[in-house]
Amino acid sequence: MRPAALDWSVENCTIARAMEVLGERWTLVVLREVFTGVRRFDDMRVRTGIPRQVLTNRLATLVEQGVLSREPYREPGSRLRHEYRLTEKGLDLWPVLVAVLGWGDRYLADAEGSPLSVAHRDCGAPVRVELRCADGHEVGQARDVVPRPGPGARRRTP
C-alpha cells in the first residue's frame, strides 16, 4: 500500500527547518546549560568540554536565529563580557529538552540514573512531556496520531 504522505511535498517542512537550527550535536547541550542557569561562555566551555570554536559557532547561530540573546555584564575590575539568555523563542524549546531528557533517561542513563532531573517548582513532582490533541485527549502512542498535510502543504508533482 502506498503511503498517503508521498502525495505531498516536504520541501517546506518545519521539522527540517527546525533541525537546521537545532540539529548539530552540541546545540541541545548548550540549551541545557542555559536552561539550568549556566549563561556565561567560559562556564559553559569548562562544564561541557565543548571546543571553544564549536561553542562560539553554536552560540552565534542561536543568537542569529533568535533563540538566545547576548546580554552585557561586567565583573568589578574586568572587561565587558556577554552572557546568553533565552528569548521567548528559546523558552518555547523547553518541552523539547524535557522530551529528549526523558528519552535519554529511559534508554541511555547509567545504572545509577540520570545526572539531571526536572521538578515542578510548586510541588516538587517530576516533570515529563505529555501529548494531547486540541480537544484535550491524551495521545499515548505514535499510532494514536494520523499524519496529514498541514495548511502549508504543497501537492507533490510527479
Side-chain angles (χ1 to χ4, degrees), residues 43-113:
D43 293 338
M44 276 187 233
R45 191 180 58 73
V46 169
R47 183 169 144 89
T48 63
I50 300 173
R52 180 177 293 280
Q53 191 58 52
V54 172
L55 181 56
T56 298
N57 293 345
R58 289 301 95 219
L59 290 168
T61 297
L62 291 169
V63 168
E64 178 184 305
Q65 292 295 323
V67 174
L68 298 177
S69 64
R70 279 180 49 158
E71 304 296 329
Y73 75 93
R74 184 188 312 263
E75 296 287 340
S78 295
R79 66 181 175 86
L80 181 71
R81 293 178 169 237
H82 292 88
E83 64 180 15
Y84 297 87
R85 299 271 179 168
L86 292 156
T87 62
E88 183 177 348
K89 190 176 183 180
L91 288 166
D92 282 346
L93 287 168
W94 178 241
V96 174
L97 264 68
V98 173
V100 171
L101 174 64
W103 185 87
D105 287 354
R106 181 170 181 180
Y107 296 107
L108 305 171
D110 293 340
E112 59 273 8

Side-chain angles (χ1 to χ4, degrees), residues 134-151:
D135 286 339
H137 305 112
E138 186 174 339
V139 179
Q141 300 177 19
R143 294 189 195 289
D144 295 338
V145 176
V146 177
R148 59 183 181 200

